């Protein structure tokens, strides 16, 4: 496994102070910090190569185009996908909306059933609600149990009772850290309904566990660069090759056309061009590719193992605090089913107050509903405190979190 202390040297922001204290950044599920390798790659692009892609007959245009394609290849390879299968978007939210407008709108019909779950991020729920409303489709939800796992018996029953056209599920829950068994669920779905399609929200999986798109029996997989050490404003939608022919562009304009006449146009044969309308974020792509290379160098297997070390230590420390109530945790604490994040309630103190006191101690966490309002509503949590990890977090930081939680007790005289 890699040495997190050494990894920290690559992240300049980690050496700054907040409120006079060393920063303990535990808000990685919202966005991760960026290593020098990513910052430098973006800076180098603007300092040395900036030019628009494809249209230039000059050296900088060539260099920029080469970097654009090279970065696409690096990112696609990171996810075990062919470059053609990677559609560049701004983030996971846009990727999921792209499935709606480029595929679902044309291939799903009134009365058909979309199956999702109760633990989805709003970005993987609201687009499907809108689609269902617009097309008069049915939207059903796999319940989540109090141990944070999906109710698999209910999943079986939902499949038995309804012909599912589309299954939409997160790989890892951003609130509970639940790692959903998407391989098994997708296989079961496709055995029952061979024409059904599967959309996976990979926003919280891509930063922590190896993802091999080719091997996964899913059709679409959405990711954001900024949660996996890359820059904000760039992300991807992976689309299985065999579906690309029935995937239509929904952004039209320069760069994605073959021929344009006054009243009609045809789209580029090259798939990479067809879905890149307008000037792409080349610097963002270059930065994202640098992030993929960085994670590859650490080794995604090691990244996954290290995350488990942090999650386990956090859960084991927090269960000892009587004032802390972990949410969505299995009785026997099957921690391998939890990735990246741990959320909790603090008895008698609102999550926002906990967050503020932690902040005053230099510990950055997220409080609120984490864009999973239906999940919070279901269990009656007004708001939760979420700590979430990245490769630069350490066991010492987990101890600092615990010490800062003790401060909450002192402030509120509990
Ligand atoms: C599981 C999940 N899905 C989707 C999103 C949306 O990601 P983005 O804001 O990058 O579009 C997030 C962001 O927190 C997330 O955690």
């Amino acid at each position: 496994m890699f040495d997190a202390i050494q990894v920290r040297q690559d992240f300049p922001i980690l050496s700054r102070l907040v409120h006079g204290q060393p920063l303990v950044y535990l808000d990685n599920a919202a966005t991760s910090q960026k290593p020098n390798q990513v910052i430098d790659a973006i800076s180098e692009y603007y300092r040395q190569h900036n030019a628009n892609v494809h249209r230039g007959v000059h050296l900088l245009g060539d260099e920029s185009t080469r970097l654009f394609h090279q970065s696409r290849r690096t990112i696609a390879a990171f996810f075990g996908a062919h470059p053609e299968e990677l559609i560049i978007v701004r983030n996971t939210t846009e990727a999921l909306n792209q499935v709606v407008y480029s595929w679902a709108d044309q291939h799903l019909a009134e009365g058909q059933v979309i199956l999702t779950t109760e633990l989805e991020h709003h970005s993987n729920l609201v687009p499907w609600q809108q689609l269902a409303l617009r097309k008069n489709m049915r939207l059903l939800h796999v319940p989540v149990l109090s141990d944070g796992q999906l109710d698999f018996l209910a999943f079986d029953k939902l499949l038995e009772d309804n012909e599912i056209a589309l299954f939409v599920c997160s790989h890892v829950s951003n609130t509970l850290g639940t790692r959903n068994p998407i391989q098994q669920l997708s296989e079961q779905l496709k055995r029952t309904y061979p024409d059904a399609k599967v959309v996976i929200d990979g926003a919280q999986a891509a930063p922590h566990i190896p993802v091999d798109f080719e091997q996964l029996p899913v059709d679409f997989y959405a990711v954001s660069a900024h949660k996996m050490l890359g820059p904000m404003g760039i992300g991807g939608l992976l689309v299985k090759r065999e579906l690309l022919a029935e995937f239509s562009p929904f952004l039209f304009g320069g760069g994605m056309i073959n021929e344009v006449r006054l009243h009609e146009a045809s789209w580029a044969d090259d798939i990479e061009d067809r879905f890149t309308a307008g000037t792409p974020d080349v610097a963002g792509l270059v930065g994202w590719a640098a992030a993929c290379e960085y994670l590859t160098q650490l080794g995604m297997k090691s990244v996954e193992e290290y995350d488990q070390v942090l999650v386990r230590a956090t859960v084991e420390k927090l269960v000892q605090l009587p004032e802390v109530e972990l949410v969505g945790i299995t009785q026997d604490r099957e921690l391998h089913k939890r990735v990246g994040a741990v959320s909790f309630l603090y008895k008698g103190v609102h999550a926002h107050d906990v967050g503020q006191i932690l902040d005053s101690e230099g510990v950055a966490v997220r409080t609120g509903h984490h864009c999973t309002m239906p999940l919070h509503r279901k269990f009656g949590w007004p708001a939760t405190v979420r700590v979430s990890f990245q490769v630069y977090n350490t066991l010492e930081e987990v101890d600092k979190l615990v010490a800062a939680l003790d401060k909450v007790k002192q402030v509120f005289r509990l």
Side-chain angles (χ1 to χ4, degrees), residues 38-347:
V38 168
I39 299 167
D40 292 349
I42 294 169
S43 166
E44 168 81 1
Y45 172 78
Y46 280 123
R47 285 174 194 281
Q48 292 294 331
H49 308 290
N50 179 54
N52 213 328
V53 288
H54 294 146
R55 285 154 232 171
V57 278
H58 53 75
L59 184 67
L60 294 191
D62 281 350
E63 287 177 4
S64 186
T65 304
R66 185 176 50 72
L67 284 167
F68 173 74
H69 289 293
Q70 193 176 303
S71 301
R72 285 183 54 93
R73 283 197 295 276
T74 303
I75 298 159
F78 179 83
F79 291 111
H82 188 275
E84 268 194 1
E85 296 176 309
L86 172 65
I87 293 175
I88 298 298
V89 291
R90 286 181 304 158
N91 47 42
T92 302
T93 305
E94 189 172 300
L96 295 163
N97 278 277
Q98 172 123 28
V99 181
V100 172
Y101 292 106
S102 286
W103 184 84
D105 251 351
Q106 298 89 325
H107 293 91
L108 297 181
E110 182 171 345
Q112 283 190 310
V113 180
I114 304 171
L115 179 62
T116 183
T117 86
E118 287 179 344
L119 52 64
E120 299 309 313
H121 187 282
H122 298 161
S123 291
N124 198 28
L125 179 60
V126 182
W128 309 111
Q129 289 174 347
Q130 291 297 307
L131 174 72
L133 283 171
R134 203 166 59 243
K135 293 187 78 91
N136 205 10
M137 300 179 70
R138 289 165 62 217
L139 183 65
L140 302 178
H141 306 85
V142 183
V144 59
L145 300 171
S146 59
D147 66 3
Q149 302 298 305
L150 293 178
D151 182 341
F152 301 119
L153 292 177
F155 179 80
D156 295 345
K157 185 86 177 82
L158 281 160
L159 256 58
E160 218 175 278
D161 295 347
N162 303 277
E163 185 171 344
I164 310 295
L166 187 70
F167 176 50
V168 178
C169 185
S170 48
H171 199 166
V172 169
S173 151
N174 64 306
T175 297
L176 303 177
T178 309
R179 180 177 184 161
N180 292 316
I182 56 162
Q183 170 108 20
Q184 291 88 319
L185 296 179
S186 305
E187 278 169 0
Q188 187 180 342
L189 175 82
K190 289 188 176 229
R191 262 198 313 276
T192 320
Y193 303 111
D195 290 336
K197 301 288 182 278
V198 177
V199 182
I200 299 298
D201 170 352
Q204 298 294 345
H208 302 296
I209 59 180
V211 173
D212 191 344
F213 184 59
E214 227 55 61
Q215 296 304 316
L216 282 175
V218 308
D219 302 282
F220 305 100
Y221 196 98
V223 289
S224 290
H226 70 95
K227 294 184 194 288
M228 49 180 291
L229 314 183
M232 286 185 175
I234 192 128
L237 174 67
L238 301 169
V239 181
K240 279 281 157 64
R241 233 173 175 179
E242 52 275 19
L243 274 180
L244 285 168
E246 50 185 79
F247 203 75
S248 333
F250 90 100
L251 287 174
F252 302 99
M256 52 75 68
I257 45 79
N258 180 16
E259 192 169 353
V260 179
R261 295 170 187 272
L262 281 179
H263 289 285
E264 62 195 21
S266 58
W267 319 140
D269 291 331
D270 187 319
I271 302 273
E272 293 181 31
D273 291 344
R274 196 181 306 163
F275 295 105
T276 313
T279 300
D281 180 359
V282 185
L285 264 183
V286 166
W288 189 11
C292 291
E293 279 166 357
Y294 189 89
L295 287 169
T296 301
Q297 228 162 32
L298 295 181
M300 282 309 289
K301 260 300 183 213
S302 299
V303 169
E304 179 180 12
E305 279 168 30
Y306 188 57
D307 178 67
Q308 287 290 288
V309 170
L310 294 171
V311 167
R312 184 168 295 277
T314 305
V315 169
E316 278 170 4
K317 297 233 151 109
L318 293 187
V319 287
Q320 287 170 31
L321 306 181
E323 58 280 9
V324 166
E325 184 192 328
L326 290 170
V327 296
I329 189 94
T330 53
Q331 282 272 302
D332 48 0
R333 294 194 232 136
E334 291 176 290
L335 297 180
H336 60 282
K337 292 185 179 164
R338 186 180 276 256
V339 170
V342 176
S343 293
F344 59 89
L345 300 159
Y346 197 103
K347 286 175 198 152

